[in-house]
Amino acid sequence: MESRQILKERQGRSLLRQEVSEGIKRYILENKLRPGDPLPTESELSATLGASRSSVREAVKTLDALDIVEVRHGHGTYVGRLSLSALVEGLTFRGLLSRDDDFKVMSDLVDVRELFERGMAERILTSLDSDHLRSLYRLVDDMERSKSGDGTGFVEADRAFHALLVEPLGNELIGQLSLAFWDVYTIVVPHLGVITSKDEAETVANHRRIVDAAHAAHAGDTDAFTRAIAEHYAPVRRRVQEAREADAAG
Amino acid sequence: MESRQILKERQGRSLLRQEVSEGIKRYILENKLRPGDPLPTESELSATLGASRSSVREAVKTLDALDIVEVRHGHGTYVGRLSLSALVEGLTFRGLLSRDDDFKVMSDLVDVRELFERGMAERILTSLDSDHLRSLYRLVDDMERSKSGDGTGFVEADRAFHALLVEPLGNELIGQLSLAFWDVYTIVVPHLGVITSKDEAETVANHRRIVDAAHAAHAGDTDAFTRAIAEHYAPVRRRVQEAREADAAG
DNA sequence: GCAAATTTGTCCGTATGTATC
DNA sequence: AGATACATACGGACAAATTTG
């Protein structure tokens, strides 16, 4: 069997699965494939890269976890969306695992969320136009309406708001990171085991205050805007704090 | 064979591999394991979770890619370090794949790197003590010495500098993200295919200026400090720009 | 330093589930 | 509905790496 040969030729240093993974990535890069483009079947990859189906499958699974590759059962393997899903899953697990550590992981996370919006305040205001402002107001209205409604509407509007807030920067990475941390926060907080305050009216008001400040300040002073953002994150931080104190008391 | 039974009972919806992955994560959480703690062997997991060893292995590989689990050949499986390695690998691949898109991925990345340090400037300065300052100066001296030396010393000092700069914040997540983006930048730029300027003397000077500004400003005005950071990232941005222009011209 | 034991790595063959035509 | 192509899952065998006696 020739595969044994290849095994010998590899001089035993790195793992075959690792080489297969590199091979698949190289294939995508050399052929300049885009997200959604089809990849060769597992059998073809197996033959081309000189590894068994099992090794190819394990390699594909690691790339799938990073969203470099996407597998559709009974259909085929494709180039992945290259999203930050791996970051979300990793940080979510970290947040769940280290609840004991004074919930520091989560409070650090809120710091980062605030950093994205406060640190980019100036640039957000200068590139914000009236269309964006209108869309932001619309989302706040959506939150207002779906408040104490079915449920999913409120959080979805919240998520969309923070995506839209940094959108005028034209920096996709910041937008994706911002959403990734929003996702982690939203997933982890309900698992903290204690009931935390969740004043939806206050949340709506805080979001509206951000848009109001943006509308007023526009290209002028950014202080009111950054203050509004800080006030928005105060209750977010408080929820983590409440969970921490309840956990320490219990 | 009873495994066939389980397959039926799952009603064919979710994937077995996925369930195994969830099972392993649940095991870690319920037993409150920490990074480095040993996990059951593949055979044991296979028996406990009611799946074949192949399926367990594939599930373990996805968790390994997220650094939730760490596998050591011939030794065993352990709880992972929960690092941001998946983010680095994912963004690196994204940067390599979308070179054509005017290198926007990389310029967005530099924006984020600068955001971490500029956006946290105030908090960095207020919690910076003389020990930190001395350590920062020492790293700049290291860079100066290893300039045009063996090679690895320079970049390593650069990496350590940016880690140390945000360290006084006490926010581990920001430190890890900062390093993750530094890693991606350092890995991707050499692959951009064109020789970009790499003035090490200028780099040293820019880093020293940051520490000088921090030393002078301390708890006072942050303007000089943020300006020094901006000046540091100007040449970093220029390298990406040069690669872009060379690519467009060629 | 050798040998045995343990654990992960790789391979193969086969059967089943899933989507498309 | 049938046929085809593909991924999913299984089980067993052997190779390679690591630890231990």
Side-chain angles (χ1 to χ4, degrees):
Chain A
M1 39 189 83
E2 62 260 296
S3 48
R4 193 78 46 80
Q5 287 290 349
I6 296 173
L7 216 78
K8 293 290 182 195
E9 288 163 10
R10 288 191 305 113
Q11 6 220 32
R13 272 300 133 250
S14 86
L15 269 46
L16 178 56
R17 187 182 60 246
Q18 197 67 29
E19 293 182 14
V20 172
S21 173
E22 300 295 331
I24 295 174
K25 291 202 285 187
R26 200 177 328 122
Y27 176 90
I28 297 174
L29 290 173
E30 287 177 354
N31 294 81
K32 298 187 194 302
L33 301 185
R34 297 292 149 196
D37 288 350
L39 263 57
T41 67
E42 290 180 353
S43 316
E44 288 172 325
L45 288 173
S46 176
T48 306
L49 301 172
S52 73
R53 289 266 310 280
S54 321
S55 298
V56 170
R57 282 182 61 76
E58 290 180 9
V60 167
K61 262 63 205 169
T62 70
L63 295 179
D64 184 80
L66 304 173
D67 204 16
I68 288 176
V69 142
E70 181 190 341
V71 182
R72 284 182 242 166
H73 189 173
H75 199 249
T77 308
Y78 303 81
V79 178
R81 301 288 178 238
L82 303 177
S83 71
L84 299 184
S85 56
L87 176 67
V88 174
E89 187 168 349
L91 281 184
T92 298
F93 189 76
R94 195 199 281 197
L96 295 175
L97 185 58
S98 57
R99 316 182 11 165
D100 318 315
D101 308 348
D102 277 349
F103 299 93
K104 187 165 187 323
V105 173
M106 290 310 291
S107 87
D108 283 0
L109 187 102
V110 177
D111 276 1
V112 176
R113 284 189 60 195
E114 185 172 352
L115 169 61
F116 282 123
E117 295 168 1
R118 277 186 71 170
M120 284 295 181
E122 271 188 50
R123 284 181 47 185
I124 290 176
L125 287 180
T126 55
S127 45
L128 193 71
D129 62 15
S130 48
D131 275 348
H132 272 110
L133 225 45
R134 252 194 303 277
S135 302
L136 285 171
Y137 271 126
R138 196 162 13 225
L139 281 174
V140 177
D141 291 340
D142 287 351
M143 292 177 72
E144 180 85 61
R145 260 196 307 279
S146 59
K147 185 179 62 180
S148 66
D150 45 75
T152 59
F154 188 85
V155 287
E156 266 313 312
D158 187 0
R159 188 174 192 271
F161 180 92
H162 290 284
L164 192 59
L165 189 61
V166 296
E167 203 238 32
L169 292 172
N171 187 321
E172 287 178 45
L173 184 57
I174 291 183
Q176 291 178 9
L177 286 167
S178 197
L179 281 189
F181 294 133
W182 186 95
D183 288 343
V184 174
Y185 177 86
T186 308
I187 297 171
V188 172
V189 165
H191 286 80
L192 291 183
V194 291
I195 293 98
T196 56
S197 67
K198 193 163 48 181
D199 191 335
E200 293 181 331
E202 184 190 20
T203 303
V204 174
N206 283 336
H207 283 78
R208 193 181 298 282
R209 202 171 305 136
I210 290 176
V211 194
D212 283 342
H215 185 248
H218 219 254
D221 84 309
T222 59
D223 276 6
F225 183 62
T226 55
R227 230 178 309 125
I229 293 174
E231 284 169 23
H232 162 279
Y233 280 104
V236 177
R237 232 179 281 274
R238 194 184 63 222
R239 276 175 214 117
V240 177
Q241 194 73 7
E242 284 172 358
R244 189 179 90 168
E245 287 162 5
D247 193 78
Chain B
M1 40 187 83
E2 63 259 299
S3 48
R4 195 75 48 79
Q5 287 289 351
I6 296 173
L7 215 76
K8 294 288 182 196
E9 288 163 10
R10 287 191 306 114
Q11 5 215 39
R13 268 301 133 250
S14 83
L15 271 47
L16 177 54
R17 189 181 59 244
Q18 196 67 28
E19 292 182 15
V20 173
S21 173
E22 299 295 330
I24 295 174
K25 291 202 285 186
R26 201 178 324 125
Y27 176 90
I28 296 174
L29 291 172
E30 288 178 353
N31 294 80
K32 296 185 195 301
L33 301 185
R34 296 293 148 195
D37 288 351
L39 262 57
T41 67
E42 291 177 352
S43 315
E44 288 172 325
L45 288 173
S46 175
T48 307
L49 301 171
S52 73
R53 206 187 136 206
S54 321
S55 298
V56 170
R57 282 184 58 78
E58 289 181 11
V60 167
K61 263 63 209 166
T62 71
L63 295 179
D64 184 76
L66 303 173
D67 204 16
I68 288 176
V69 142
E70 182 190 341
V71 182
R72 286 183 239 165
H73 188 177
H75 199 249
T77 308
Y78 303 82
V79 178
R81 301 286 176 240
L82 302 179
S83 71
L84 300 184
S85 55
L87 177 66
V88 174
E89 187 168 349
L91 281 184
T92 297
F93 189 76
R94 196 199 282 197
L96 295 176
L97 184 59
S98 57
R99 314 183 12 166
D100 317 315
D101 308 350
D102 278 349
F103 300 94
K104 186 163 187 324
V105 173
M106 290 310 292
S107 87
D108 283 1
L109 187 100
V110 178
D111 276 2
V112 176
R113 284 190 59 195
E114 185 172 352
L115 169 61
F116 282 122
E117 295 168 1
R118 277 187 71 170
M120 285 295 182
E122 271 188 50
R123 283 180 50 185
I124 289 176
L125 287 179
T126 56
S127 45
L128 192 73
D129 60 18
S130 49
D131 276 349
H132 273 110
L133 225 44
R134 251 194 303 278
S135 302
L136 286 171
Y137 270 126
R138 194 160 16 225
L139 281 174
V140 177
D141 291 340
D142 286 351
M143 291 177 72
E144 180 85 59
R145 259 196 306 282
S146 59
K147 184 178 62 180
S148 66
D150 45 76
T152 59
F154 189 85
V155 287
E156 266 313 311
D158 187 2
R159 188 174 193 271
F161 180 91
H162 290 284
L164 193 58
L165 189 60
V166 297
E167 202 239 32
L169 292 172
N171 186 322
E172 288 178 43
L173 184 57
I174 289 182
Q176 291 178 9
L177 286 167
S178 197
L179 281 189
F181 294 131
W182 186 95
D183 288 342
V184 174
Y185 177 86
T186 307
I187 296 172
V188 172
V189 164
H191 285 80
L192 292 185
V194 291
I195 292 97
T196 56
S197 66
K198 193 162 51 181
D199 190 335
E200 293 181 330
E202 184 190 20
T203 305
V204 174
N206 283 337
H207 283 78
R208 194 180 296 281
R209 202 172 304 137
I210 291 177
V211 195
D212 283 341
H215 184 248
H218 218 255
D221 83 307
T222 59
D223 276 6
F225 183 62
T226 54
R227 232 177 310 125
I229 293 174
E231 284 170 22
H232 163 278
Y233 280 105
V236 176
R237 232 180 281 273
R238 195 185 60 222
R239 274 174 214 116
V240 178
Q241 195 73 5
E242 283 171 357
R244 190 179 89 170
E245 287 163 6
D247 193 76

